Structures are given as structure tokens and as C-alpha cells.
Amino acid sequence: MKYSFYPGCSMEATAQANLKSIEAVAGALDLHLEEIPDWNCCGATVASGVVGDFTQQVMTARNLAIAEPKGYDVVVGCSSCYLSLAVTNKRFKEDEHFKALANEALAAGGLKYDGSLRVRQFLEVVINDAGFDRVKEKVKRPLTGLKVAGYVGCQTVRAIPYEFDDPEYPVQMDKLMEALGATAVDFPMKARCCGSSNAIAATDIVVDSALKIFQSAAGGGAQVIVTPCPMCQLNLDAYQQRVNQLHGTNFNIPVLFFTQLMAVAFDLPEDARALNYCIVSPYEALAAYGVGK
Amino acid sequence: MEQKNNQPVKYDLNFAREIYSLENGSYIKQCMQCGMCAISCATREIMDYSPRRLFNLIKLGKKDEVLEANTMWQCTSCCTCKARCPRGIPIIDVMHDLKKYAIQNGYSDDPRAAFYKAFWAEVASRGKVFEGGVTARYYLIRGLDELKKAFAMKDVGLNMLRHKRMPLLPPKKVKGLGNLKKIIRKAQELERKEAGR
């Protein structure tokens, strides 16, 4: 199947491991991703705090307008980008007044969006379009015995509640990890906030949020945390040492994109696993699954 | 709001009306003060007022209390309250409106206000966000003292550099940047017109 793909800014910078592993896993599952040409920033949840929701959503809609002629579902890898694109798309479908105004603005750049597309997350596409059975078929190195904490984060399941999983206690990514042969641990904080974009301007929020998440994951005995979200991954990975320094803890839990762990289980090449981007080393936890430096 | 001696407290309804006229502002009138947002919030413990209390202060017209509060800046847009609110108030979107209103009205002492401005300046100049650019712009706005604080975090930065997590060069600008800017300008013009309706 073919899809239009919206990578988002972080995949070109802090989350290159996400892009590499998504592309490789998609290829292995025969999901054909075509990048939306000349896509622009979705504004995340920050732009609307400066210019308002309408302007932010119109900016986001430029991407949908460019993708619309192909008619493919739009697949998004980043949770925050998904929130922007999915909520904007929903407004085009449900709010005629908004749609007319937004198209008036898009027309200033020679574009128009009819609201005909479907916006989806890569996680959901893997689960619903490829399916657990196809995933199981592709597993060459079952992750038997590996205890995984599935950190779904906030926006993945709450951008559009109940769209594909429970917004309070999601289970779909855990099932995907089980399809790889891993064991999903009990993880009460799996949908809790990671502190989001506060890393620079209010670091304490990220450190305090991360502490609670690590305690919860470690409480379940997790050896690895996986997430679909670039912001969650960065906060938990880059600030883990800082959490340990400030709280006297000794966490050493690698934080991977779920697609990186899929690449390990599928036995895809090192470039697809992209483990060298991990700040907390994953090599010890994954040594039993054919992963070496 | 100036309060004279022996005079009863006056409600500044003009402020409430102004807030209600923001994009998502009228939802505030739906709040029934149940407190679901407060118990759901990931950052409630460090907020000056929970969303519930902030909405009440808006209804009472307490302009300074509302705009000087850190509440909207502590909101991380995690959507928990929005998903749970029994009155269907899109609370995170109301918080976005309040951030914008605070910045426009000169209440932008909170470091996050500088971060938001830096983020937007980055989007507006290349159509994409370059994290290095946002960080640099943030410290330009906040000044030297803030930069000193950043040195305490240098290990985080060095670790990111070492693992190729912090490119030093920005991505290419969006090719259609000129058109994107025209779209944004038109959207802002339409938004202002709508607010005045």
C-alpha cells in the first residue's frame, strides 16, 4: 500500500534514528511511504501560543493541500505533528466555516484543501494495515525474555481519543512488542506527560516527569523503554543522566523508538536499527538479540 | 484593577469579554468548576492556579492575576484534561489562546514566553524548526544569566553532540517559503477579522 509521509522537523535533527528505522520497517512490511514534497513545520503545540490556532492550523494544512492530489492516507511519525495534522484535518471535515476561511488563506499561496484525506500515525498503520500476523512473520530474532516498557506518551492516544487505542491506558503498542516476542511490562505511567518542550526553558519539569516515568518502568522490571514520539524519546534519553545526578538514582534504561526494536527483531542492518543515536547505551540490554557495537 | 478603600470589589467584565472573544475563549463559559482538569494535570502541583481556578478568575475579571499566573505556561499540551473534561472544553487550546494573549499584552516574563517567541521566529524564517536556532534565539532573548544556567546542563548537550543528536547546521529552507509566508499573513488577517466580528 502507498502512503504520503510527513516526517516533521525532528526527524531531520534529534530523531534521525526514528526516520531511519521507520523507513526500514515500512519497507520490510511493504508499506510504501512517499514523502510529501516541500513539507513545512506543523507548528507543534507551540506556534498557536504565539499566532493562535487558526494560523497554526492553516500552516499545517499547507502540507495536507500538497498531499491531497495523490489521495493517499497521510502517515505521520511524530506524535506532536500527528496532533497538529489530525486535529486540523478533523476541522476541515467537520467545520464548514473554518474550511472556507482556511481555504481563503491557503489561496494566498495558490493552494486549496478539500479535507478528503485521512491522517494516521505510523504506529497505527503498522498495527492495522500490516497487522500483528505480518509482523510476526517478519521476526527473525524473537525478543524472547526482553522486558519492554511501552511508553506511548500523551498525544499519540489523546490527540483524537479512542481513535485506535484507549487514551488512559493504551495497550496496542504493548501487543506489537509481544508480536516481536518481547514481554510488555506493567507500566502505569505509560501515557503520562514527559515534560514536552520544557527541556530548555524549564528543565525541572522534564527532569521531574522523567523521574516518575523511570520509577514506573523500573518498577515493572523493564530493561528497555520504547516510544513512538521524538519528544518523549529525547527527554527520557538525553536527561536520564541528569535525573540520576539530581535525584541520586541509578537508572540505566535505554530508550528506543518502537521501530528501532522492530528493526532489531526483523534483523535489519545496523543503519536501520540506528542504535548509535541512543545516548543511554542499548547494547548490553540487547546483546542477546544479535546486537553488537 | 484598582480597588478603592471601602468600595466593593468590582468585576472587570471587559477583561472577561476580551478573553471570551479569543479563538477558544467562549468555551470557558462552559466550565462548571468540577476540578477534573486539576486532578488530571501533569503539572498542577507547580501551577499558580489550576485551570479550573484560572477559569474562575477570568469570569471574575481578575486580569493581572490571570495574566501573571504561570498556569498556561506550565501546561505541556499533554491533552489529559482535554480528553477528560466532562464539559468538552478544549483546555489546552484555551491555554494556547491565553499564552498568545499574555505575550501580546506584555505579560511575557515567563521563560517559556521567550521559548515560544524563539520557536515561532524560527518557523517564520525557514518554514521548519531547527532546534539549534530555537535555542540560540531563546538565549538571545533571555540574556547572559540564563546562558550561565545552561552551563550546568553542558553534559546533556555534549552527550547529544556525541550521539549525533544535535546537528550544528540548519535544514534547508522550505522552497515555497514565500508562499507559506503569504498564507500565514492572510491567515493572521482573517483571524483578526473573525475576532472583531
Side-chain angles (χ1 to χ4, degrees), chain A residues 9 12-14 38 41 48-49 53-54 97 154-155 158 168 193 198 200 233 237 239 241 276-278, chain B residues 23-24 76-78 80 84 96 100 112 116 127-129 131 135 153 159 163-165 171 175-176 194:
Chain A
C9 303
E12 293 185 336
T14 53
D38 201 37
C41 172
S48 50
D53 279 355
F54 179 71
H97 179 64
C154 60
Q155 294 166 345
R158 286 197 286 274
E168 300 281 344
C193 173
N198 279 300
I200 291 172
Q233 198 284 336
D237 194 10
Y239 288 87
Q241 193 184 10
N276 52 328
Y277 290 89
C278 288
Chain B
E23 284 187 66
N24 303 285
T76 60
S77 305
C78 81
T80 311
R84 288 181 183 172
H96 295 157
K100 179 185 167 195
R112 268 71 58 93
Y116 274 56
K128 285 184 183 176
V129 166
E131 282 120 336
T135 310
M153 303 291 296
N159 267 332
H163 292 87
K164 297 187 282 184
R165 303 295 293 274
K175 283 188 212 126
E194 280 288 293

Side-chain angles (χ1 to χ4, degrees), chain B residues 25-43:
Chain B
S26 64
Y27 285 109
I28 295 169
K29 290 187 266 186
Q30 282 176 213
C31 175
M32 61 181 183
Q33 295 288 302
C34 73
M36 177 56 93
C37 50
I39 64 157
S40 304
C41 181
T43 50

Side-chain angles (χ1 to χ4, degrees), chain A residues 69-83:
Chain A
K70 277 196 176 164
Y72 305 148
D73 288 358
V74 174
V75 173
V76 187
C78 163
S79 302
S80 198
C81 300
Y82 172 73
L83 175 79

